[in-house]
Amino acid sequence: MKKQSNLVTQAPAPALLFFALPMIIGNLFQQFYNMADSIIVGNLVGEDALAAVGASYSFTTVFIMVAIGGGLGASVLTSQYLGAEKYREMKSSVYTFLITFAAVSVVLAVFGLVANPMILRLLKTPENIMEDAVLYLQIYFLGLPFMFMYNILSSDFNALGRSNIPLALLIFSSVLNIGMDLWMVGGLHLGVAGAAIATVIAQGISAVISLVILLKILRNYETEGKVPFFRKDMFRTGTKIAIPSIIQQSIVSIGMLLTQSAVNRFGSSALAGFSAGSRLESICVVPMIATGNAVSTFTAQNLGAGKPDRIRKGYGVSYGIIICFGAALILISQLFYRPILSAFVSESSSPVAFQTGTAYFRFLGIFFSFLGFKAITDGVLRGSGDMKVYMFANLVNLGLRVAVAQLCSPIWGIEMIWYAVPIGWFANYFISFCWYKTGNWRKKSLVAGD
């Protein structure tokens, strides 16, 4: 294997861009196949079915982000060991957190199966979609361990600098999921249950293939002596990073979940429109979040290699990447919103849903760069293991979003729910950036004394 990753040796601009692009494309495919449920169900079953999947989506996204955040946090340790060329410890880090999150996924699956009807009621889910929403979630949580395994393994591939592998697997999984959606929903007429079954099967097959490939790659790193499959010290260190990372990755989804009760007050049509807008948001944030995750891996590997000056250069370059993506998203959201939203809801048959989705998507389209600036700054803090301010900034983000949505929407209307989003993003960025400027993250290497 190469003794050094390209993230440590190549010029920061091409290193970050070529590492981030497969992550962006792969995450887009993941969002597309997640969206397939909504598009296919909305067009083949109806508005209520779309609202039911949308109500379920905000709940399931929390669990997805726990998996992604946990994988990103744990992979910081793996990246730093790789940068330091400590391959025995790197392997042990991978094994430790595969075991850890396998156990976590089983616990969360049981919780989701038991608690989802109660949580949907607490969120004031409309009664006319409750039965379908519960059915979708029951099937989804049966396959939760596969989803966890896949996302943790994807983070491991990225930590090793192999972001092209998750991309290939996501393309395969996306095509499989969409094909099975069309068959089960359109051919077998299984409704929301068919959409859930298709997602579980696609994730399960991808997870198994991912595990086989990762184990094969790890065998190529030569080590002396037996590699421990679980190390308590790594578990403790990785957990200190993983928990704040889970919180950060979950901010959007937790915010959606906690504000959904505010949306539900406006009825199932408004919920259907909000669900469509949320799905479009989840696509638009992909390049921003992926660039932030690339900066995190870049930071971890270079800090492990003792090259903090490269991190500052990479951070500066990432602003240009974010600005380019932000400009493109402004154009798309302002000029092409009508045909994009029409894939989810019909303007003629569901005017309230279409109007709600349009207002949400067009407003947020102006502010996605704020999210990108937050993501890359958080990426430096997370990649260096400097987590206290990182976690505080993301909690401020969440608190502002929920408070404004819950307190202001009953008074000034549903629009306050999406006005709150950029307020939270900017506050998060401001706090993280001020801490980045102190330079304390340069002193946070987790592997120097290992």
Side-chain angles (χ1 to χ4, degrees):
M1 300 297 292
K2 293 180 181 179
K3 287 298 182 183
Q4 288 282 6
S5 165
N6 288 339
L7 293 177
V8 177
T9 58
Q10 195 177 13
L16 270 172
L17 186 60
F18 288 118
F19 181 67
L21 279 176
M23 296 171 64
I24 292 169
I25 298 169
N27 288 338
L28 283 173
F29 268 98
Q30 186 171 39
Q31 292 299 332
F32 286 142
Y33 95 65
N34 288 336
M35 277 176 46
D37 291 351
S38 292
I39 294 175
I40 293 170
V41 166
N43 283 279
L44 298 182
V45 184
E47 182 182 294
D48 283 353
L50 171 62
V53 173
S56 306
Y57 174 72
S58 60
F59 189 21
T60 58
T61 303
V62 174
F63 290 82
I64 294 171
M65 291 304 173
V66 169
I68 294 174
L72 285 170
S75 68
V76 167
L77 202 57
T78 302
S79 294
Q80 290 197 15
Y81 280 126
L82 179 65
E85 299 185 28
K86 297 182 177 181
Y87 300 135
R88 183 172 181 270
E89 290 83 358
M90 179 195 74
K91 289 184 179 182
S92 192
S93 171
V94 171
Y95 298 148
T96 296
F97 287 98
L98 280 177
I99 293 169
T100 298
F101 284 103
V104 170
S105 69
V106 173
V107 173
L108 290 178
V110 173
F111 169 78
L113 284 168
V114 173
N116 79 81
M118 177 186 67
I119 292 174
L120 287 171
R121 286 190 171 84
L122 287 174
L123 293 172
K124 302 180 176 64
T125 303
E127 285 299 324
N128 60 311
I129 64 171
M130 177 65 74
E131 184 178 349
D132 277 347
V134 170
L135 176 61
Y136 184 92
L137 287 173
Q138 294 287 7
I139 297 169
Y140 182 89
F141 282 115
L142 289 173
L144 190 71
F146 291 118
M147 182 274 290
F148 253 78
M149 182 189 296
Y150 174 77
N151 282 286
I152 298 298
L153 291 167
S154 292
S155 294
D156 286 329
F157 287 128
N158 291 332
L160 298 174
R162 304 292 293 271
S163 58
N164 59 313
I165 295 175
L167 169 59
L169 289 167
L170 272 169
I171 292 173
F172 163 76
S173 183
S174 300
V175 173
L176 177 62
N177 185 68
I178 292 171
M180 294 192 68
D181 263 333
L182 290 170
W183 178 47
M184 291 189 173
V185 178
L188 300 180
H189 304 291
L190 295 178
V192 297
I197 293 169
T199 298
V200 168
I201 292 174
Q203 288 178 339
I205 293 173
S206 296
V208 173
I209 295 173
S210 297
L211 180 60
V212 171
I213 294 173
L214 179 66
L215 294 176
K216 183 177 180 180
I217 289 174
L218 291 178
R219 283 199 295 269
N220 292 325
Y221 288 93
E222 296 181 1
T223 56
E224 295 182 3
K226 185 179 180 181
V227 178
F229 278 90
F230 189 89
R231 281 181 49 173
K232 292 182 180 179
D233 59 330
M234 288 185 180
F235 172 77
R236 288 192 295 268
T237 302
T239 300
K240 291 177 182 177
I241 308 170
I243 290 175
S245 183
I246 288 169
I247 293 172
Q248 186 269 335
Q249 289 292 316
S250 302
I251 289 300
V252 172
S253 54
I254 292 173
M256 286 171 58
L257 183 64
L258 293 178
T259 56
Q260 186 171 299
S261 60
V263 180
N264 289 340
R265 296 189 187 107
F266 296 89
S268 60
S269 292
L271 176 58
F274 179 76
S275 298
S278 297
R279 290 299 180 108
L280 294 176
E281 177 192 359
S282 68
I283 293 176
C284 292
V285 303
V286 162
M288 308 305 184
I289 298 297
T291 304
N293 293 343
V295 169
S296 179
T297 302
F298 181 87
T299 299
Q301 288 194 17
N302 282 281
L303 200 59
K307 299 181 178 181
D309 289 340
R310 278 180 56 84
I311 300 170
R312 296 184 66 179
K313 292 177 182 177
Y315 177 64
V317 164
S318 65
Y319 272 90
I321 297 173
I322 292 298
I323 290 170
C324 290
F325 284 135
L329 290 172
I330 289 174
L331 291 176
I332 291 170
S333 64
Q334 303 309 308
L335 300 179
F336 303 105
Y337 66 92
R338 194 177 299 276
I340 294 172
L341 276 163
S342 295
F344 296 88
V345 290
S346 168
E347 185 174 5
S348 58
S349 61
S350 305
V352 173
F354 189 86
Q355 182 181 4
T356 302
T358 296
Y360 182 60
F361 180 53
R362 296 192 73 192
F363 178 79
L364 283 190
I366 301 171
F367 297 101
F368 284 124
S369 290
F370 283 2
L371 174 63
F373 299 152
K374 156 195 142 41
I376 58 175
T377 310
D378 283 349
V380 174
L381 302 186
R382 183 176 63 242
S384 64
D386 193 357
M387 306 303 289
K388 291 182 179 178
V389 173
Y390 166 96
M391 184 165 65
F392 172 72
N394 281 278
L395 288 173
V396 169
N397 177 7
L398 175 63
L400 282 171
R401 290 184 62 174
V402 174
V404 172
Q406 290 285 358
L407 297 176
C408 299
S409 64
I411 302 172
W412 290 294
I414 194 172
E415 293 81 5
M416 296 306 301
I417 294 169
W418 43 90
Y419 290 174
V421 177
I423 295 173
W425 288 344
F426 182 78
N428 189 157
Y429 168 62
F430 180 77
I431 295 169
S432 295
F433 181 76
C434 288
W435 187 249
Y436 165 83
K437 292 294 289 184
T438 68
N440 286 332
W441 54 269
R442 297 165 63 100
K443 309 169 187 176
K444 295 290 184 177
S445 177
L446 302 168
V447 306
D450 203 301

